[in-house]
Amino acid sequence: MANAKTDLTAPVLSISGATFGFDETPLWQDLTLDVAPGEFIAIIGTNGSGKTSLLRAILGQEQLRAGTITLAGKPIGHGSRRIGYIPQHRSVDSSTPMRARDLLSLGLNGHRFGLPWGGRKAKARVDHILDCIEGHDLADMPVGQLSGGQFQRFRVGQAVIDEPDLILADEPLSALDLTQQAVIAELLDRERKDHSAAVLFVTHDVNPVLGMVDRVLYLAGGKFKIGTPDEVLRSEVLSELYGSPIDVVRNQGRVVVVGTQAHDHHHPDHDHHPNEVWN
């Protein structure tokens, strides 16, 4: 298990004084954040605010202008088994022949050199994840024949199958109906509780996971706010962040944010439309 040696008293991820951007204006700057084992952090923000770019920087795929990012006290490297990554949903060529269960197996063997890890232990791990994502009936289908929501469930399973210390989830619920959203959210919540995996969860709608969230990182206009949902998702806090009036409405346990007037700067950061309304 990848996290068997995790020190539960030390941060899984440490970001210190980090600044990132594609031109003279940074998307975010001086970002400092320690993420504890088992912590669930929702990353929210407008289109072009740098949510996806932050995940890519943690993966070592984007370079910071300043600051550092460490994983379990060590510099970020490519292909770490300690990170499970769920990218934004993308369509799959309908002619792709790989079976859905083999996609899960890549989460165990895709980063390994030499012979793949197999046998009863690997099969048991695949079967366990199939249980978690309700995927047994789909396991032998070619991934190209899965619906968008079905494929996304297997991508989530692939990310958690090796029991990583850190899960980076980039809009993992975007292609799912409400029932499937609940299945995936529960899987991620169980993973962080059972294996102390920290979760960074990029979303444009925090409501499906609001009860799981420990802290919110809100990115907007080159600035950020970090705190509990009650500390960050407030009208006065977001109005200060955006520099314009923002209303945060709470109704029956749900949060609605209206009035966002931030502009899309057309950065290669595949986020949602800036005029956010959560309902």
Side-chain angles (χ1 to χ4, degrees):
M1 291 183 290
N3 64 353
K5 299 180 180 179
T6 300
D7 180 357
L8 298 182
T9 66
V12 172
L13 179 74
S14 292
I15 303 173
S16 179
T19 297
F20 179 85
F22 298 103
D23 49 33
E24 294 183 1
T25 303
L27 291 181
W28 32 265
Q29 58 185 339
D30 297 326
L31 175 60
T32 295
L33 174 66
D34 282 340
V35 182
E39 189 173 18
F40 196 118
I41 297 179
I43 303 176
I44 309 171
T46 58
N47 190 18
S49 61
K51 303 189 299 291
T52 292
S53 295
L54 175 57
L55 298 193
R56 289 176 59 83
I58 294 170
L59 289 167
Q61 297 174 356
E62 298 280 7
Q63 186 172 356
L64 297 175
R65 284 189 185 179
T68 60
I69 300 177
T70 58
L71 182 67
K74 298 181 180 180
I76 290 292
H78 291 282
S80 173
R81 288 184 58 199
R82 305 187 76 164
I83 299 178
Y85 177 49
I86 307 165
Q88 288 189 7
H89 176 69
R90 296 288 185 271
S91 60
V92 182
D93 191 321
S94 60
S95 64
T96 302
M98 176 186 290
R99 296 183 305 168
R101 70 167 64 248
D102 295 329
L103 181 66
L104 294 181
S105 296
L106 285 177
L108 294 172
N109 298 312
H111 43 52
R112 298 173 187 271
F113 295 99
L115 294 176
W117 182 46
R120 286 180 295 179
K121 189 174 180 180
K123 183 181 184 301
R125 190 78 65 83
V126 169
D127 287 341
H128 169 67
I129 295 298
L130 287 172
D131 285 337
C132 293
I133 65 173
E134 301 179 358
H136 281 284
D137 292 343
L138 306 170
D140 293 318
M141 287 182 60
V143 294
Q145 295 181 18
L146 299 177
S147 69
Q150 291 168 343
F151 179 69
Q152 189 70 338
R153 282 157 53 193
F154 276 84
R155 290 303 298 266
V156 172
Q158 180 192 46
V160 304
I161 194 170
D162 207 22
E163 299 179 3
D165 297 328
L166 175 66
I167 299 170
L168 305 180
D170 196 356
E171 299 279 6
L173 308 183
S174 61
L176 308 182
D177 61 28
L178 292 177
T179 299
Q180 292 175 329
Q181 285 183 6
V183 170
I184 295 307
E186 181 181 342
L187 172 59
L188 291 174
D189 197 36
R190 187 186 315 131
E191 186 72 16
R192 60 106 172 218
K193 289 177 178 177
D194 290 351
H195 305 294
S196 300
V199 178
L200 297 188
F201 191 98
V202 170
T203 183
H204 75 287
D205 182 2
V206 74
N207 287 301
V209 295
L210 187 58
M212 307 172 187
V213 173
D214 296 305
R215 286 191 290 169
V216 169
L217 169 60
Y218 206 117
L219 303 171
K223 298 180 290 184
F224 62 89
K225 293 290 184 182
I226 303 172
T228 67
D230 287 342
E231 291 170 341
V232 174
L233 300 179
R234 296 162 49 197
S235 298
E236 61 270 29
V237 173
L238 296 189
S239 295
E240 178 185 354
L241 191 62
Y242 282 106
S244 62
I246 302 293
D247 290 325
V248 178
V249 181
R250 296 175 182 271
N251 182 32
Q252 297 181 343
R254 297 179 66 80
V255 178
V256 180
V257 178
V258 295
T260 304
Q261 300 297 324
H263 297 289
D264 180 358
H265 298 291
H266 303 288
H267 294 296
D269 188 354
H270 306 291
D271 298 330
H272 281 255
H273 195 276
N275 295 315
E276 298 181 33
V277 178
W278 303 341
N279 50 38

